[in-house]
Coordinates of all heavy atoms in Angstrom, one line a residue:
M865 N 81.1 69.1 257.7 CA 80.6 68.9 256.3 C 80.7 70.2 255.5 O 81.0 70.1 254.3 CB 79.1 68.5 256.4 CG 78.6 68.4 255.0 SD 77.6 67.1 254.4 CE 76.8 66.1 255.3
A866 N 80.6 71.3 256.1 CA 80.8 72.6 255.3 C 82.3 72.7 254.8 O 82.5 73.2 253.7 CB 80.5 73.8 256.2
D867 N 83.3 72.2 255.5 CA 84.6 72.2 255.1 C 84.8 71.3 253.8 O 85.5 71.7 252.9 CB 85.6 71.7 256.2 CG 85.7 72.7 257.3 OD1 85.4 73.9 257.1 OD2 85.9 72.3 258.4
A868 N 84.2 70.2 253.8 CA 84.2 69.3 252.6 C 83.6 70.0 251.4 O 84.1 69.9 250.3 CB 83.6 68.0 252.9
R869 N 82.5 70.7 251.6 CA 81.9 71.4 250.5 C 82.8 72.5 250.0 O 82.9 72.7 248.8 CB 80.5 71.9 250.9 CG 79.6 72.1 249.8 CD 78.2 72.4 250.2 NE 78.1 72.7 251.6 CZ 77.0 73.0 252.2 NH1 75.9 73.1 251.5 NH2 76.9 73.2 253.5
M870 N 83.4 73.3 250.8 CA 84.3 74.3 250.4 C 85.5 73.8 249.7 O 85.9 74.4 248.7 CB 84.7 75.1 251.7 CG 83.7 76.0 252.2 SD 83.1 77.3 251.1 CE 84.4 78.5 251.3
T871 N 86.0 72.7 250.1 CA 87.1 72.1 249.4 C 86.7 71.7 248.0 O 87.4 71.9 247.0 CB 87.7 70.9 250.2 OG1 88.0 71.3 251.5 CG2 88.9 70.3 249.5
S872 N 85.5 71.1 247.9 CA 85.0 70.7 246.6 C 84.8 71.9 245.7 O 85.2 71.8 244.5 CB 83.7 70.0 246.8 OG 83.1 69.7 245.6
L873 N 84.3 73.0 246.2 CA 84.1 74.2 245.4 C 85.4 74.8 245.0 O 85.6 75.2 243.9 CB 83.2 75.2 246.1 CG 81.8 74.8 246.3 CD1 81.1 75.9 247.2 CD2 81.1 74.7 245.0
D874 N 86.3 74.8 245.9 CA 87.7 75.4 245.6 C 88.4 74.6 244.6 O 89.1 75.2 243.7 CB 88.5 75.5 246.9 CG 88.0 76.5 247.9 OD1 87.2 77.4 247.4 OD2 88.3 76.5 249.1
S875 N 88.2 73.3 244.6 CA 89.0 72.5 243.6 C 88.4 72.6 242.2 O 89.0 72.3 241.2 CB 89.0 71.0 244.1 OG 87.7 70.5 244.0
S876 N 87.1 73.0 242.1 CA 86.5 73.2 240.8 C 86.8 74.5 240.1 O 86.7 74.7 238.9 CB 85.0 73.0 240.9 OG 84.4 74.1 241.6
R877 N 87.3 75.4 240.9 CA 87.6 76.8 240.3 C 88.7 76.7 239.3 O 88.6 77.4 238.2 CB 88.0 77.8 241.4 CG 86.8 78.2 242.2 CD 87.0 79.3 243.1 NE 85.8 79.7 243.8 CZ 85.7 80.3 244.9 NH1 86.9 80.7 245.5 NH2 84.6 80.6 245.4
P878 N 89.8 76.0 239.5 CA 90.8 75.9 238.4 C 90.3 75.3 237.1 O 90.7 75.8 236.0 CB 92.0 75.1 239.0 CG 91.8 75.2 240.5 CD 90.3 75.4 240.7
V879 N 89.4 74.4 237.3 CA 88.8 73.7 236.1 C 87.9 74.7 235.3 O 88.0 74.8 234.1 CB 88.0 72.5 236.5 CG1 87.3 71.9 235.3 CG2 89.0 71.4 237.1
R880 N 87.1 75.4 236.1 CA 86.3 76.4 235.5 C 87.1 77.5 234.8 O 86.8 78.0 233.7 CB 85.3 77.1 236.5 CG 84.2 76.1 237.0 CD 83.3 76.8 237.9 NE 82.4 75.8 238.5 CZ 81.6 76.1 239.5 NH1 81.7 77.3 240.1 NH2 80.8 75.2 239.9
R881 N 88.1 78.0 235.5 CA 89.0 79.0 234.9 C 89.7 78.5 233.7 O 89.8 79.3 232.7 CB 90.0 79.4 236.0 CG 90.9 80.6 235.6 CD 90.1 81.9 235.5 NE 90.6 82.7 234.4 CZ 90.0 83.7 233.9 NH1 88.8 84.0 234.3 NH2 90.5 84.4 232.9
A882 N 90.1 77.3 233.7 CA 90.8 76.7 232.5 C 89.8 76.7 231.3 O 90.1 77.0 230.2 CB 91.3 75.4 232.8
A883 N 88.5 76.3 231.6 CA 87.5 76.2 230.6 C 87.2 77.6 230.0 O 87.1 77.8 228.8 CB 86.3 75.5 231.1
L884 N 87.1 78.6 230.9 CA 86.9 79.9 230.5 C 88.1 80.5 229.6 O 87.9 81.1 228.6 CB 86.7 80.8 231.7 CG 86.4 82.3 231.4 CD1 85.1 82.4 230.5 CD2 86.2 83.1 232.7
D885 N 89.3 80.2 230.1 CA 90.5 80.6 229.3 C 90.5 80.0 227.9 O 90.8 80.6 226.9 CB 91.8 80.2 230.1 CG 92.0 81.1 231.3 OD1 91.3 82.2 231.4 OD2 92.8 80.7 232.1
F886 N 90.1 78.7 227.9 CA 90.1 78.0 226.6 C 89.0 78.6 225.7 O 89.3 78.8 224.5 CB 89.8 76.5 226.8 CG 89.7 75.7 225.5 CD1 90.9 75.4 224.8 CD2 88.5 75.4 225.0 CE1 90.8 74.7 223.6 CE2 88.4 74.7 223.8 CZ 89.6 74.4 223.1
A887 N 87.9 78.9 226.2 CA 86.8 79.5 225.4 C 87.2 80.8 224.9 O 86.9 81.2 223.7 CB 85.5 79.5 226.2
E888 N 87.8 81.6 225.7 CA 88.3 82.9 225.3 C 89.4 82.8 224.2 O 89.4 83.6 223.2 CB 88.8 83.7 226.5 CG 87.7 84.2 227.4 CD 88.2 84.8 228.7 OE1 89.5 84.7 229.0 OE2 87.4 85.4 229.5
A889 N 90.3 81.9 224.4 CA 91.4 81.7 223.4 C 90.8 81.2 222.1 O 91.2 81.7 221.0 CB 92.4 80.7 223.9
R890 N 89.8 80.4 222.1 CA 89.2 79.9 220.9 C 88.4 81.0 220.2 O 88.5 81.1 219.0 CB 88.2 78.7 221.3 CG 87.6 78.1 220.1 CD 86.8 76.9 220.4 NE 86.3 76.3 219.2 CZ 85.7 75.1 219.2 NH1 85.6 74.4 220.3 NH2 85.3 74.6 218.1
L891 N 87.7 81.8 220.9 CA 87.0 82.9 220.3 C 88.0 83.9 219.7 O 87.8 84.4 218.6 CB 86.2 83.7 221.4 CG 85.4 84.9 220.9 CD1 84.4 84.5 219.8 CD2 84.7 85.5 222.1
A892 N 89.1 84.2 220.4 CA 90.1 85.1 219.8 C 90.7 84.5 218.5 O 90.9 85.2 217.5 CB 91.2 85.4 220.8
A893 N 90.9 83.2 218.5 CA 91.5 82.6 217.3 C 90.5 82.6 216.2 O 90.9 82.9 215.0 CB 91.9 81.1 217.6
E894 N 89.2 82.4 216.5 CA 88.2 82.5 215.4 C 88.1 83.9 214.9 O 87.9 84.1 213.6 CB 86.8 82.0 216.0 CG 86.8 80.5 216.2 CD 85.5 80.0 216.9 OE1 84.7 80.9 217.3 OE2 85.4 78.8 217.1
Q895 N 88.2 84.9 215.7 CA 88.1 86.3 215.3 C 89.3 86.6 214.4 O 89.2 87.3 213.4 CB 88.0 87.2 216.5 CG 86.6 87.1 217.2 CD 86.6 87.9 218.5 OE1 87.6 88.2 219.1 NE2 85.4 88.2 218.9
A896 N 90.5 86.1 214.8 CA 91.7 86.4 214.0 C 91.6 85.7 212.7 O 92.0 86.3 211.6 CB 92.9 85.9 214.8
E897 N 91.0 84.5 212.6 CA 90.9 83.8 211.4 C 89.9 84.5 210.5 O 90.2 84.6 209.2 CB 90.4 82.4 211.6 CG 90.2 81.6 210.4 CD 89.6 80.2 210.6 OE1 89.2 79.9 211.7 OE2 89.7 79.4 209.7
T898 N 88.9 85.1 211.0 CA 87.9 85.8 210.2 C 88.6 87.1 209.6 O 88.4 87.4 208.4 CB 86.7 86.2 211.1 OG1 86.0 85.1 211.5 CG2 85.7 87.1 210.3
V899 N 89.4 87.8 210.4 CA 90.1 88.9 209.9 C 91.0 88.5 208.8 O 91.1 89.2 207.7 CB 90.9 89.6 211.0 CG1 91.8 90.7 210.5 CG2 89.9 90.3 212.0
Q900 N 91.7 87.4 208.9 CA 92.6 87.0 207.9 C 91.9 86.6 206.6 O 92.3 86.8 205.5 CB 93.5 85.8 208.4 CG 94.5 86.2 209.4 CD 95.3 85.0 209.9 OE1 94.8 83.9 209.9 NE2 96.5 85.2 210.4
Q901 N 90.7 85.9 206.8 CA 89.9 85.5 205.6 C 89.4 86.7 204.9 O 89.4 86.7 203.6 CB 88.8 84.6 206.1 CG 89.2 83.3 206.5 CD 88.1 82.5 207.1 OE1 87.0 83.0 207.4 NE2 88.3 81.2 207.3
H902 N 89.0 87.8 205.6 CA 88.5 89.0 204.9 C 89.7 89.7 204.2 O 89.5 90.1 203.1 CB 87.9 89.9 205.9 CG 86.5 89.5 206.3 ND1 85.4 89.6 205.5 CD2 86.0 89.0 207.5 CE1 84.3 89.2 206.1 NE2 84.6 88.8 207.3
A903 N 90.8 89.7 204.8 CA 92.0 90.3 204.1 C 92.3 89.5 202.9 O 92.7 90.1 201.8 CB 93.2 90.4 205.1
A904 N 92.3 88.2 202.9 CA 92.6 87.4 201.8 C 91.6 87.6 200.7 O 91.9 87.7 199.5 CB 92.6 85.9 202.2
A905 N 90.3 87.7 201.0 CA 89.3 87.9 200.1 C 89.4 89.3 199.4 O 89.2 89.4 198.2 CB 87.9 87.8 200.7
R906 N 89.8 90.3 200.2 CA 90.0 91.6 199.6 C 91.2 91.6 198.6 O 91.1 92.2 197.5 CB 90.3 92.6 200.7 CG 89.1 93.2 201.4 CD 89.3 94.4 202.2 NE 90.4 94.1 203.3 CZ 90.1 93.7 204.5 NH1 88.9 93.4 204.8 NH2 91.1 93.4 205.3
R907 N 92.2 90.9 199.0 CA 93.4 90.8 198.1 C 93.0 90.1 196.8 O 93.4 90.5 195.7 CB 94.5 90.1 198.8 CG 95.8 90.0 198.0 CD 96.4 91.3 197.7 NE 96.8 91.9 199.0 CZ 97.3 93.1 199.1 NH1 97.5 93.9 198.0 NH2 97.6 93.6 200.2
V908 N 92.3 89.0 196.9 CA 91.8 88.3 195.7 C 91.0 89.2 194.9 O 91.2 89.3 193.6 CB 91.1 87.0 196.1 CG1 90.3 86.4 194.9 CG2 92.0 86.0 196.7
A909 N 90.1 89.9 195.5 CA 89.2 90.8 194.7 C 90.0 91.9 194.0 O 89.7 92.3 192.9 CB 88.1 91.4 195.6
E910 N 91.0 92.4 194.7 CA 91.9 93.4 194.0 C 92.6 92.9 192.8 O 92.8 93.6 191.9 CB 92.9 94.0 195.0 CG 92.3 94.8 196.2 CD 93.3 95.0 197.3 OE1 94.5 94.6 197.2 OE2 92.9 95.7 198.3
R911 N 93.0 91.7 192.8 CA 93.8 91.1 191.8 C 93.1 90.3 190.7 O 93.6 90.0 189.7 CB 94.9 90.1 192.4 CG 95.7 90.7 193.5 CD 96.7 91.7 192.8 NE 97.7 92.2 193.8 CZ 98.1 93.4 193.9 NH1 97.7 94.3 193.0 NH2 98.9 93.8 194.8
A912 N 91.8 90.0 191.0 CA 91.0 89.2 190.0 C 90.7 90.1 188.8 O 90.6 91.3 188.8 CB 89.7 88.8 190.7
H913 N 90.6 89.4 187.7 CA 90.4 90.0 186.4 C 88.9 90.5 186.3 O 88.6 91.5 185.7 CB 90.7 89.1 185.2 CG 92.1 88.7 185.2 ND1 93.1 89.6 184.8 CD2 92.8 87.5 185.5 CE1 94.3 89.0 184.9 NE2 94.1 87.7 185.3
D914 N 88.0 89.7 186.8 CA 86.6 90.0 186.8 C 85.9 89.3 187.9 O 86.5 88.6 188.7 CB 86.0 89.7 185.4 CG 86.2 88.3 185.0 OD1 86.3 87.4 185.8 OD2 86.2 88.1 183.7
A915 N 84.5 89.4 188.0 CA 83.8 88.8 189.0 C 83.9 87.3 189.0 O 83.9 86.6 190.0 CB 82.3 89.2 189.0
V916 N 83.8 86.7 187.8 CA 83.9 85.2 187.7 C 85.3 84.7 188.2 O 85.3 83.8 188.9 CB 83.7 84.8 186.2 CG1 83.9 83.3 186.0 CG2 82.3 85.2 185.7
D917 N 86.3 85.4 187.8 CA 87.7 85.1 188.2 C 87.7 85.2 189.7 O 88.3 84.3 190.4 CB 88.7 86.0 187.6 CG 90.1 85.6 187.9 OD1 90.4 84.4 187.9 OD2 90.9 86.6 188.0
C918 N 87.2 86.2 190.3 CA 87.2 86.4 191.7 C 86.5 85.3 192.4 O 87.0 84.7 193.4 CB 86.5 87.8 192.1 SG 86.6 88.2 193.8
R919 N 85.3 84.9 192.0 CA 84.5 83.8 192.6 C 85.3 82.5 192.5 O 85.3 81.7 193.5 CB 83.1 83.6 191.9 CG 82.0 84.5 192.4 CD 80.7 84.0 192.0 NE 80.6 84.1 190.5 CZ 80.2 85.1 189.8 NH1 79.9 86.2 190.4 NH2 80.1 85.1 188.5
E920 N 85.9 82.2 191.4 CA 86.6 81.0 191.2 C 87.9 80.9 192.2 O 88.1 79.9 192.8 CB 87.1 80.8 189.8 CG 86.0 80.5 188.8 CD 86.4 80.4 187.4 OE1 87.6 80.7 187.1 OE2 85.5 80.1 186.5
L921 N 88.6 82.1 192.3 CA 89.7 82.1 193.2 C 89.3 82.0 194.6 O 89.9 81.2 195.4 CB 90.5 83.4 192.9 CG 91.2 83.5 191.6 CD1 91.7 85.0 191.4 CD2 92.4 82.5 191.5
L922 N 88.2 82.6 195.0 CA 87.7 82.5 196.4 C 87.3 81.1 196.7 O 87.6 80.6 197.7 CB 86.6 83.5 196.6 CG 86.9 85.0 196.7 CD1 85.7 85.8 196.7 CD2 87.8 85.3 197.8
A923 N 86.7 80.4 195.7 CA 86.3 79.0 195.9 C 87.5 78.1 196.1 O 87.5 77.2 196.9 CB 85.4 78.6 194.7
M924 N 88.5 78.4 195.3 CA 89.7 77.6 195.4 C 90.4 77.7 196.8 O 91.0 76.8 197.3 CB 90.8 78.0 194.4 CG 90.5 77.5 193.0 SD 91.9 78.0 191.9 CE 91.0 78.8 190.6
L925 N 90.2 78.9 197.4 CA 90.8 79.1 198.7 C 89.8 78.7 199.8 O 90.2 78.8 201.0 CB 91.1 80.6 198.9 CG 92.2 81.1 198.0 CD1 92.3 82.6 198.1 CD2 93.6 80.5 198.4
G926 N 88.6 78.3 199.5 CA 87.7 77.9 200.5 C 87.0 79.1 201.2 O 86.5 79.0 202.3
L927 N 87.0 80.2 200.5 CA 86.5 81.4 201.1 C 85.2 81.9 200.5 O 84.6 82.8 201.0 CB 87.5 82.6 200.9 CG 88.8 82.4 201.6 CD1 89.8 83.5 201.1 CD2 88.7 82.3 203.1
S928 N 84.7 81.2 199.5 CA 83.5 81.6 198.8 C 82.2 81.7 199.7 O 81.4 82.6 199.6 CB 83.3 80.8 197.6 OG 83.1 79.4 197.9
G929 N 82.0 80.7 200.5 CA 80.7 80.7 201.2 C 80.7 81.4 202.5 O 79.7 81.8 203.1
R930 N 81.9 81.7 203.1 CA 82.0 82.3 204.4 C 81.9 83.8 204.4 O 81.6 84.4 205.4 CB 83.3 81.8 205.1 CG 83.4 80.4 205.3 CD 84.7 80.1 206.0 NE 85.0 78.7 205.8 CZ 86.1 78.2 206.3 NH1 87.0 78.9 206.9 NH2 86.4 76.9 206.1
L931 N 82.3 84.4 203.3 CA 82.5 85.8 203.3 C 81.4 86.6 202.7 O 81.4 87.8 202.7 CB 83.8 86.2 202.6 CG 85.1 85.6 203.3 CD1 86.3 85.8 202.4 CD2 85.2 86.1 204.7
T932 N 80.4 86.0 202.2 CA 79.3 86.7 201.5 C 78.6 87.7 202.4 O 78.1 88.7 202.0 CB 78.3 85.7 200.9 OG1 77.8 84.8 201.9 CG2 79.0 84.9 199.8
Q933 N 78.4 87.3 203.7 CA 77.7 88.2 204.6 C 78.4 89.5 204.9 O 77.8 90.6 204.9 CB 77.4 87.5 206.0 CG 76.5 86.3 205.8 CD 76.3 85.6 207.2 OE1 77.1 85.8 208.1 NE2 75.3 84.8 207.2
G934 N 79.7 89.4 205.1 CA 80.5 90.6 205.4 C 81.2 91.2 204.3 O 82.0 92.1 204.4
A935 N 80.9 90.8 203.0 CA 81.6 91.3 201.9 C 81.4 92.8 201.6 O 82.2 93.5 201.0 CB 81.2 90.5 200.6
H936 N 80.3 93.3 202.1 CA 80.0 94.8 201.8 C 80.4 95.7 202.9 O 80.1 96.9 202.9 CB 78.5 94.9 201.6 CG 78.0 94.1 200.4 ND1 78.3 94.3 199.1 CD2 77.2 93.0 200.4 CE1 77.8 93.3 198.3 NE2 77.1 92.5 199.1
E937 N 81.1 95.2 203.9 CA 81.5 96.0 205.1 C 82.7 96.9 204.7 O 83.5 96.6 203.9 CB 81.8 95.1 206.3 CG 80.6 94.4 206.8 CD 81.0 93.4 207.9 OE1 82.2 93.3 208.3 OE2 80.1 92.8 208.4

């Protein structure tokens, strides 16, 4: 019976590893997206005529609500 249990545990390791790899890849992708969004927001802010123009441009890009927390970094 111990052999059957070991086989069961061994067979679940690739699934766990795949799930961990997926979670790590997803986190890395989310972090990269955040970096890109901040860079885009900075570029918009540099090119905007004024604060209203900046807000409107950010809204058009879908960046207005996500970047307010880190805007002062």
Side-chain angles (χ1 to χ4, degrees):
M865 178 136 13
D867 292 333
R869 202 171 11 179
M870 286 299 278
T871 303
S872 171
L873 290 175
D874 289 342
S875 66
S876 68
R877 284 188 182 163
V879 173
R880 287 183 188 168
R881 185 68 214 165
L884 181 59
D885 288 346
F886 178 80
E888 289 172 350
R890 184 173 182 168
L891 179 60
E894 289 172 358
Q895 290 171 338
E897 181 181 13
T898 298
V899 168
Q900 289 177 335
Q901 289 173 347
H902 282 289
R906 278 193 303 274
R907 181 64 63 188
V908 167
E910 291 169 0
R911 304 287 187 219
H913 297 289
D914 56 27
V916 173
D917 187 38
C918 185
R919 271 194 303 271
E920 288 174 357
L921 292 168
L922 289 173
M924 283 185 236
L925 294 171
L927 298 173
S928 59
R930 299 183 197 175
L931 299 175
T932 55
Q933 293 175 346
H936 301 294
E937 294 177 359

